[in-house]
């Protein structure tokens, strides 16, 4: 039995699929294949499947991943991708299947490309963004199932790029990701909306990479 990591992209309309529905989608896709997948034992057996860093609802991802177990060591990895892609909807595509190399605990960073659209124009959006980033602190409340945590976002944000268009602003950001600290971009956007006095007309969030502490791609 081997632990296999599947890398896939989740784009366009698939961004509206929740994590729970994505898991169901993958489970149904496996059911339409001949992949020798391992099922959990017990009263309610199901396909063993774990996602290292689930992507939030409404976000797109270029290289997401989940793990499952093959019961036949000789089953070709290329066959895994071919079979799943034949059973998945068009906006979810398997890119690669390979033996899992790293543990999920290795994930420390996530890169995002966030595009804001508004009739105020790209330069106005850029000015709003720079005003927020010029603050010595950006305090927010991060709510979880068990507690509410006070956070200062300012030291957690690494800006890799910024490009203003006629009616848009595209930000390339590196944010904490993983078990120790996972910063949802919606927290940052909420702080921006509060500072500028309103939301942008439309927002697109694309997770472009999941990285280790050394900035190596999660593998």
């Amino acid at each position: 039995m081997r632990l296999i990591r599947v890398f896939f992209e989740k784009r366009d309309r698939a961004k509206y699929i929740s994590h729970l529905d994505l898991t169901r989608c993958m489970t149904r896709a496996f059911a339409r294949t001949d992949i020798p997948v391992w099922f959990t034992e017990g009263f309610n057996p199901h396909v063993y499947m774990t996602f290292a860093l689930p992507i939030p609802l409404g976000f797109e991802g270029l290289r997401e991943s989940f793990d499952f177990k093959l019961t036949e060591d000789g089953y070709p990895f290329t066959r895994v991708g071919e079979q799943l892609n034949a059973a998945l909807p068009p906006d979810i595509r398997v890119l690669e299947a390979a033996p899992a190399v790293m543990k999920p605990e290795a994930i420390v960073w996530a890169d995002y490309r966030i595009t804001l659209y508004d009739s105020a124009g790209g330069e106005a959006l850029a000015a709003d963004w720079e005003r927020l980033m010029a603050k010595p602190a950006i305090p927010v409340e991060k709510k979880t199932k068990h507690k509410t945590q006070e956070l200062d976002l300012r030291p957690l944000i690494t800006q890799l790029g910024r490009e203003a268009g006629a009616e848009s602003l595209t930000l390339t950001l590196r944010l904490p990701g993983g078990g120790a600290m996972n910063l949802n971009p919606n927290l940052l956007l909420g702080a921006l909306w509060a500072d500028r006095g309103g939301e942008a007309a439309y927002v697109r969030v694309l997770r472009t990479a999941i990285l280790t502490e050394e900035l190596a791609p999660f593998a």
Side-chain angles (χ1 to χ4, degrees), residues 35-98:
I35 299 171
V37 61
W38 183 75
F39 283 75
T40 61
E41 300 173 352
F43 181 74
N44 183 28
H46 57 274
V47 175
Y48 171 85
M49 195 184 313
T50 60
F51 291 74
L53 190 64
I55 191 166
L57 178 67
F59 292 4
E60 297 173 87
L62 286 184
R63 192 170 175 82
E64 303 301 306
S65 71
F66 71 87
D67 296 349
F68 78 99
K69 293 180 179 179
L70 274 178
T71 58
E72 294 180 13
D73 289 346
Y75 194 86
F77 300 137
T78 55
R79 183 76 173 149
V80 171
E82 291 170 358
Q83 289 253 345
L84 287 176
N85 280 335
L88 286 168
D91 294 336
I92 301 175
R93 294 287 88 191
V94 171
L95 306 172
E96 178 188 3

Side-chain angles (χ1 to χ4, degrees), residues 12-38:
D12 301 323
R13 294 170 298 177
K15 70 182 180 181
Y16 300 112
I17 299 176
S18 69
H19 175 62
L20 180 59
D21 286 336
L22 176 63
T23 303
R24 290 169 176 160
C25 178
M26 291 295 182
T27 299
R28 290 167 181 165
F30 272 115
R32 296 184 178 97
T33 72
D34 64 7
I35 299 171
V37 61
W38 183 75

Side-chain angles (χ1 to χ4, degrees), residues 114-131:
I114 303 174
T115 305
L116 316 176
Y117 300 88
D118 199 87
S119 59
E123 292 300 334
L125 288 167
D128 292 335
W129 169 254
E130 290 302 324
R131 185 175 64 251

Side-chain angles (χ1 to χ4, degrees), residues 164-179:
E167 294 187 350
S168 66
L169 173 67
T170 299
L171 303 167
T172 305
L173 305 176
R174 178 164 293 150
L175 304 176

